[in-house]
Amino acid sequence: MRGGAAWFRPWAELEQDAVSLRSYQPLLVPGLLQTEEYARAILNTGGLVPPSEVDQIVASRIDRQAVLRRDAPPQLVAVLDEVVLRRPVGDGSVMAGQLRHLASAAECEHVQVRVIPAENPWHTGLAGPFVLGRLPDGTELAYLDNQLRGQIVTDPLDVANLGRRWESVTGEALPRRQSIELIREVATTWT
């Protein structure tokens, strides 16, 4: 795997070994489901990432997605807040392309994308994004992201706590088919 932030590489390597990934994202499409244009628009916002690094990070993010196309891909369940579908990242064509890609990925047998409707009240997931991963030997771990860097969580009590939060956020989400329909509907508003 090339490029990317050095602090992220340990998680990216674990992600490649995972048999299941459960991702909650209240603000952005998860990296494993981003289009190149969407990722580039995110990284170019605010001028905080030098252009030379943007290319490297985007390439690394797209490379990571190969895990979903391998012979035995992990089961990926991504729960997003509806605001992720409606907040402009880049221009309308970037958003339309991203949402079409997201709906297409959600049609894959091993990928689920579920959306928490905007009208739902505050829920435990809004405290921040997280990813739960399970390795082939049954080990469960988590990844937390913040403004500076990410953190791999291995303490069983902390992972269990995040597991309870996962159950809470999935309980707020629309079922798979309704989520895909909503994603497709919102995609049309971006064209």
Side-chain angles (χ1 to χ4, degrees):
M1 178 167 319
R2 63 181 159 171
W7 52 262
F8 185 75
R9 282 189 207 118
W11 176 256
E13 290 169 8
L14 288 167
E15 192 178 64
Q16 297 300 307
D17 294 334
V19 294
S20 73
L21 295 163
R22 296 174 288 165
S23 175
Y24 170 69
Q25 297 294 329
L27 303 173
L28 297 168
V29 171
L32 286 176
L33 298 172
Q34 291 177 4
T35 62
E36 182 176 340
E37 296 79 13
Y38 184 90
R40 190 170 301 285
I42 290 167
L43 293 166
N44 280 324
T45 300
L48 299 174
V49 180
S52 61
E53 288 182 35
V54 169
D55 290 340
Q56 186 178 31
I57 294 169
V58 169
S60 178
R61 191 165 296 175
I62 300 305
D63 284 352
R64 282 177 42 223
Q65 295 174 5
V67 72
L68 297 177
R69 295 184 301 275
R70 70 182 188 207
D71 286 341
Q75 179 74 29
L76 172 63
V77 180
V79 174
L80 317 172
D81 270 66
E82 185 177 344
V83 70
V84 172
L85 310 178
R86 299 190 184 278
R87 176 177 287 121
V89 173
D91 61 21
S93 67
V94 169
M95 286 302 297
Q98 176 60 70
L99 296 188
R100 284 191 302 269
H101 174 74
L102 191 60
S104 176
E107 293 284 352
C108 295
E109 190 173 300
H110 62 284
V111 177
Q112 281 190 49
V113 178
R114 297 185 54 202
V115 179
I116 297 175
E119 67 267 8
N120 282 27
W122 175 267
H123 56 83
T124 60
L126 292 174
F130 61 93
V131 182
L132 294 166
R134 181 174 294 127
L135 299 176
D137 67 2
T139 300
E140 293 196 355
L141 35 85
Y143 179 76
L144 302 173
D145 211 352
N146 65 46
Q147 292 285 331
L148 297 175
R149 65 187 50 86
Q151 171 190 4
I152 296 175
V153 178
T154 58
D155 179 272
L157 294 176
D158 290 340
V159 173
N161 184 316
L162 289 168
R164 287 189 296 279
R165 289 177 184 272
W166 173 258
E167 295 301 324
S168 178
V169 298
T170 57
E172 296 292 332
L174 295 171
R176 182 180 195 172
R177 288 278 138 223
Q178 288 177 333
S179 293
I180 292 171
E181 289 170 15
L182 178 59
I183 294 165
R184 288 204 166 113
E185 175 187 314
V186 176
T188 66
T189 68
W190 288 108
T191 54

